[in-house]
Amino acid sequence: MAPTSKLSLGIKKASRSHAYHRRGLWAIKAKHGGAFPKAEKPAAVADAKFYPADDVKPRKPSTRKPKPTKLRSSITPGTVLILLAGRFMGKRVVFLKQLKSGLLLVTGPFKINGVPIRRVNQTYVIATSTKVDTSCVNVEKFDDSYFARDKKKKAKKTEGELFETEKEATKDLPVFKKDDQKAVDAELIKAIEAVPDLKSYLGARFSLRDGDKPHEMVF
Amino acid sequence: MPFKRFVEIGRVALVNYGKDYGRLVVIVDVVDQNRALVDAPDMIRCQMNFKRLSLTDIKIDIKRVPKKATLIKAMEEADVKTKWENSSWGKKLIVQKRRAALNDFDRFKVMIAKIKRGGAIRQELAKLKKASTA
């Protein structure tokens, strides 16, 4: 519908009846049985019984999805890593693969330096440029659920037993885990023994001596 | 104690400060009391303060500001590279570079080798001591 043209501000060119006819208001009336269609008034909203004291926005749950952890380019399967923290601080271990959680799967090998198949965070590790051949090792079966802790069942204690010190049965490693360790290490050790001095290198711990400048050392 | 190494055209010097640290250059001209024009086969000719240069014993036979090709030819005739690498100064620098580039595994191997060498020396010494007292 074209806007009514104006002669001046507030003065329309077409008269009231002329505009009525031109806009087709007679047709709308005819369509709706002689009267304009009335819009339905929305139902009156009852006054809320409770108004919160502060105008606080409701918090929306976060839709952020964390990105998969980026693996340092210096870490590839077979790289010798130096562990920097924890029980095996200073030990040189062999990197196997990165798990879905972002943690690195490493092994000593166990026979060489006592480090079992274990998960380790990338940030607590120095990657050396020494590489071992891990093409013969199959690490498909290892994932984060392999390392999950067993759920402890809490048995109901009688009053007397409550005050006794917990005698927890020291759990032995399940046999299948020991076998997995042996399977992974068997081929790896052969590859390691092929390189002279590598076995004793992996068995030795790393430490800083007097005069060492770690920021200038090439790893 | 007279001076033996002079700033002259053809003197080979080692850069001891700045972007070109460790490079061997040849003095091809003297700009003024403090600066020299230096040139090397793999670098654009530029001026450098004498304080940035450490003079070496090596000197080559060139005229003032030779062309690059002439300079390279003169350096090869004087065999600067071999003379430098056989000098004790040059050998020291090569060893330093090699040690700085050692891997963690390499450093481990060096440690093992040092222990073995020390052990062998001590064994021989013990033998000699025994022989001299016997």
Side-chain angles (χ1 to χ4, degrees):
Chain A
M1 191 198 78
T4 50
S5 46
K6 290 185 257 180
L7 291 177
S8 165
L9 183 66
I11 306 174
K12 292 189 224 153
K13 194 169 175 182
S15 68
R16 198 184 159 93
S17 50
H18 189 80
Y20 176 88
H21 181 75
R22 204 172 67 175
R23 281 174 63 188
L25 300 179
W26 52 270
I28 296 172
K29 274 196 171 168
K31 201 169 167 193
H32 293 272
F36 278 127
K38 278 208 177 123
E40 272 191 38
K41 277 212 181 115
V45 178
D47 277 337
K49 280 200 182 141
F50 172 71
Y51 291 96
D54 308 307
D55 282 326
V56 177
K57 266 204 211 137
R59 297 203 100 201
K60 271 192 266 186
S62 167
T63 52
R64 177 182 166 267
K65 280 192 199 59
K67 285 189 283 196
T69 315
K70 193 158 162 225
L71 189 62
R72 263 185 270 165
S73 59
S74 54
I75 302 177
T76 62
T79 311
V80 173
L81 308 172
I82 301 176
L83 300 180
L84 295 173
R87 187 166 163 216
F88 301 105
M89 184 160 40
K91 293 268 195 201
R92 295 165 171 125
V93 295
V94 178
F95 169 69
L96 297 173
K97 76 170 185 180
Q98 186 184 30
L99 301 169
K100 203 145 71 82
S101 64
L103 299 171
L104 312 181
L105 186 74
V106 296
T107 181
F110 187 69
K111 268 215 185 319
I112 296 183
N113 55 21
V115 180
I117 299 178
R118 200 171 201 265
R119 293 185 298 175
V120 124
N121 192 315
Q122 221 189 134
T123 45
Y124 296 98
V125 136
I126 294 181
T128 66
S129 45
T130 316
K131 310 255 188 250
V132 176
D133 184 18
T134 46
S135 51
C136 41
V137 179
N138 186 341
V139 280
E140 298 288 319
K141 65 188 296 215
F142 299 106
D143 62 344
D144 290 299
S145 53
Y146 181 92
F147 297 98
R149 284 222 187 123
D150 292 326
K151 294 252 184 249
K152 254 198 294 189
K153 283 201 201 80
K154 285 200 160 183
K156 285 255 177 205
K157 288 185 237 176
T158 61
E159 217 182 82
E161 283 178 16
L162 252 175
F163 295 103
E164 271 181 21
T165 48
E166 275 257 333
K167 271 201 220 151
E168 284 191 23
T170 47
K171 289 224 188 75
D172 256 336
L173 250 196
V175 181
F176 77 91
K177 285 206 175 175
K178 294 191 189 174
D179 290 336
D180 287 338
Q181 180 78 55
K182 284 197 201 129
V184 167
D185 288 352
E187 290 297 320
L188 208 54
I189 291 181
K190 267 195 239 144
I192 289 170
E193 286 177 347
V195 182
D197 287 331
L198 190 59
K199 193 159 174 215
S200 46
Y201 171 63
L202 290 175
R205 277 204 209 227
F206 172 82
S207 72
L208 290 174
R209 310 276 158 77
D210 265 350
D212 278 350
K213 295 175 200 154
H215 66 293
E216 286 180 355
M217 283 160 78
V218 167
F219 284 99
Chain B
M1 40 154 284
F3 287 99
K4 287 210 209 97
R5 297 175 188 164
F6 297 98
V7 169
E8 49 199 329
I9 295 176
R11 176 65 59 184
V12 173
L14 186 73
V15 180
N16 61 27
Y17 181 91
K19 191 169 64 93
D20 295 308
Y21 181 87
R23 201 199 279 267
L24 271 186
V25 291
V26 179
I27 298 177
V28 295
D29 200 359
V30 170
V31 177
D32 62 12
Q33 196 196 320
N34 295 317
R35 288 177 295 164
L37 192 64
V38 299
D39 203 353
D42 56 344
M43 144 181 144
I44 296 175
R45 196 192 302 149
C46 68
Q47 56 101 7
M48 259 193 207
N49 194 313
F50 288 122
K51 292 187 179 175
R52 289 198 178 193
L53 299 173
S54 300
L55 303 179
T56 68
D57 287 329
I58 309 171
K59 184 171 165 341
I60 65 175
D61 187 20
I62 50 168
K63 294 231 174 8
R64 194 178 71 89
V65 194
K67 283 203 176 29
K68 201 62 153 226
T70 325
L71 176 71
I72 294 174
K73 191 153 162 283
M75 286 184 86
E76 275 176 21
E77 268 171 28
D79 215 2
V80 172
K81 197 162 187 284
T82 348
K83 278 202 200 140
W84 175 245
E85 284 169 8
N86 291 337
S87 69
S88 49
W89 185 0
K91 278 195 227 161
K92 254 191 286 173
L93 285 192
I94 291 172
V95 168
Q96 276 175 17
K97 278 206 188 101
R98 181 82 187 87
R99 286 210 179 126
L102 281 180
N103 193 346
D104 187 47
F105 188 23
D106 293 333
R107 265 175 263 129
F108 178 80
K109 286 190 264 188
V110 164
M111 176 191 77
I112 299 285
K114 279 192 185 165
I115 292 171
K116 277 213 181 101
R117 185 182 67 172
I121 291 174
R122 246 172 275 124
Q123 266 190 337
E124 280 301 316
L125 184 64
K127 274 193 221 157
L128 289 174
K129 275 201 193 152
K130 214 169 169 201
S132 70
T133 54

